[in-house]
Amino acid sequence: MSAHAEPVPMTARASGPLRGVAEVPGDKSISHRALILGAMTVGETRITGLLEGQDVLDTAAAMRAFGATVTRHGPGEWSVQGVGVGGFSEPADVIDCGNSGTGVRLIMGAMATTPITATFTGDASLRKRPMGRVTVPLSLFGAQAVGRAGGRLPMTIVGAADPVPVRYTVPVPSAQVKSAVLLAGLNAPGQTVVIEREATRDHTERMLAGFGADVRVEEMAEGRVITLTGQPDLRPQTVAVPRDPSSAAFPVCAALIVPGSDILVPGVSRNPTRDGLYVTLLEMGADIAFENPREEGGEPVADLRVRYTGTLQGVETPPHRAASMIDEFPVLSVVAACATGTTVMRGVKELRVKESDRIDAMARGLEACGIRVEEDEDTLIVHGLGPGGVPGGATCAVHLDHRIAMSFLVLGLAARNPVSVDDGGPIATSFPVFEPLMQGLGAALHRSAG
Ligand code: S3P
């Protein structure tokens, strides 16, 4: 839904210890993929633990518009009656993906090799983001795209009537681009090959295999080579969505910077392609125990026990780790502000084309809260002020970006003065229960400034 309601100002202030169990919602990436692959499968796919954030609800609505029957049975419990690979019908209206780059890019891929036409749009944030990164490879299949200048939405995709398979090396580390190409390859005859020089989240490959597609992943000199055989008969699945490590990052990081905290975050995905934040926090000296490791829904999961120590040190995150923590840099920069010493985040230029320019949004807000920051196109450096050292006392601009909003609210829990955000509304795109969940742990965060 692109219509953005009135801004929801929010404020967080220094809080007592955070204690208790934080049951964060289902993984956003896996939720989108479960709906889309369910829609491309004949028969009924059942999903449990689906994230009911606005991004995913928009993808559910889009799948209905392409002809699938998508039904909610209870909290997180959904079913998709799919139409099969190549079975999408032409939507009667514009597809509105709201705030979601993942939604729009994956759906463009999924429809690009079916002879139908669809027009996509989104909110003011999504309409600024580059779509050329998916329409270039989709054109190799035979699809056509017409959008605004710079490859921006609104954009119309004319699906290929006679698709050909593609061999494509992804030029930027992007799971969305990789996934768009793989989903397009589903309805192309023969083998579609996607090569990524740096590994990105692998949920699409895992889930394609789970739905019965012939997909092979090889580590070669040129990178990760993924080979998909087109036009499979996908088999309906039961998908148990694990909890989102990117959402877990907020209570986890809050517990690491609020004195006396001790929390448990159960059932979080520990997929190695999503694990960079946790690797980094351990390097900083964080006390995080990964208890009860197990497999759920084809993903490794664990219960995270997180305790405050007050001894975090700044670190350097290497460029090769960036893809595995790409959504976590905003909240890492908050932890860095509360750590002792300097944290250098390298290879992070993709942050500039997320829901906002996240390097700029974090740098400006951290500076307003009294923290010294340096940045260049590809790097963010935060000079930590140590436990209790962050002044706070500012209102930070969110730029329609959920993770920027949650990051500054986490900062407010540990700063000397309250930290406000101009709009907490976008939090509902990925973490609709953020506010009650954090309050339940003892966080003093509330709607409306003051
Ligand atoms: C996602 C991929 C990443 C990430 C986004 C979710 C996905 O985007 O930032 O939140 O589900 O494939 P990029 O592909 O642009 O890196």
Side-chain angles (χ1 to χ4, degrees), residues 166-215:
V166 155
R167 183 182 179 89
Y168 188 68
T169 302
V170 184
V172 286
S174 168
Q176 293 174 2
V177 176
K178 167 178 68 178
S179 302
V181 177
L182 289 171
L183 292 173
L186 276 177
N187 199 35
Q191 292 194 321
T192 285
V193 180
V194 187
I195 300 150
E196 53 177 7
R197 296 195 194 96
E198 297 169 53
T200 63
R201 65 192 68 197
D202 62 357
H203 308 299
T204 304
E205 300 91 298
R206 285 177 188 248
M207 210 181 279
L208 278 168
F211 275 79
D214 178 9
V215 58

Side-chain angles (χ1 to χ4, degrees), residues 28-29 33 102 105 133 173-176 201 326-327 354:
K28 182 151 71 70
S29 295
R33 286 159 173 79
T102 306
R105 291 182 177 131
R133 53 178 57 198
S174 168
Q176 293 174 2
R201 65 192 68 197
I326 196 65
D327 291 336
K354 295 295 176 188

Side-chain angles (χ1 to χ4, degrees), residues 175-450:
Q176 293 174 2
V177 176
K178 167 178 68 178
S179 302
V181 177
L182 289 171
L183 292 173
L186 276 177
N187 199 35
Q191 292 194 321
T192 285
V193 180
V194 187
I195 300 150
E196 53 177 7
R197 296 195 194 96
E198 297 169 53
T200 63
R201 65 192 68 197
D202 62 357
H203 308 299
T204 304
E205 300 91 298
R206 285 177 188 248
M207 210 181 279
L208 278 168
F211 275 79
D214 178 9
V215 58
R216 199 169 67 238
V217 182
E218 294 157 295
E219 305 291 342
M220 319 257 289
E222 52 190 324
R224 261 181 103 242
V225 180
I226 306 151
T227 305
L228 172 72
T229 303
Q231 301 181 327
D233 285 327
L234 299 180
R235 292 189 299 268
Q237 296 299 299
T238 297
V239 181
V241 181
R243 298 182 196 275
D244 196 325
S246 300
S247 296
F250 296 101
V252 166
C253 289
L256 292 176
I257 62 173
V258 173
S261 298
D262 182 349
I263 66 165
L264 185 74
V265 192
V268 178
S269 168
R270 291 226 59 211
N271 182 314
T273 62
R274 300 282 299 279
D275 216 22
L277 173 74
Y278 298 94
V279 172
T280 303
L281 292 172
L282 292 175
E283 284 179 5
M284 294 177 86
D287 181 352
I288 306 176
F290 300 92
E291 297 173 349
N292 193 15
R294 56 201 184 272
E295 180 117 340
E296 276 176 17
E299 297 270 332
V301 304
D303 304 331
L304 276 49
R305 177 89 189 265
V306 187
R307 297 183 187 88
Y308 175 86
T309 61
T311 55
L312 299 181
Q313 298 287 328
V315 288
E316 180 162 333
T317 65
H320 67 79
R321 194 184 294 162
S324 68
M325 56 183 298
I326 196 65
D327 291 336
E328 283 68 76
F329 285 106
V331 76
L332 176 65
S333 70
V334 164
V335 175
C338 301
T340 302
T342 299
T343 294
V344 182
M345 296 164 247
R346 296 204 188 278
V348 296
K349 65 173 177 291
E350 272 295 300
L351 295 182
R352 299 216 179 261
V353 291
K354 295 295 176 188
E355 286 83 330
S356 67
D357 175 343
R358 286 182 171 161
I359 296 180
D360 185 66
M362 288 313 299
R364 301 294 81 76
L366 289 172
E367 282 168 352
C369 290
I371 298 136
R372 194 157 72 80
V373 176
E374 294 170 72
E375 61 171 295
D376 66 26
E377 187 52 28
D378 201 23
T379 315
L380 178 61
I381 301 174
V382 176
H383 297 278
L385 292 169
V390 173
T395 298
C396 305
V398 161
H399 304 285
L400 288 180
D401 190 329
H402 53 132
R403 298 197 205 283
I404 301 298
M406 290 186 277
S407 296
F408 284 120
L409 291 170
V410 167
L411 181 64
L413 304 178
R416 291 205 293 267
N417 299 290
V419 174
S420 299
V421 294
D422 63 348
D423 187 10
I427 293 171
T429 62
S430 71
F431 200 159
V433 296
F434 175 77
E435 192 181 347
L437 181 144
M438 294 301 293
Q439 287 169 345
L441 297 174
L445 61 89
H446 301 281
R447 283 167 193 242
S448 91

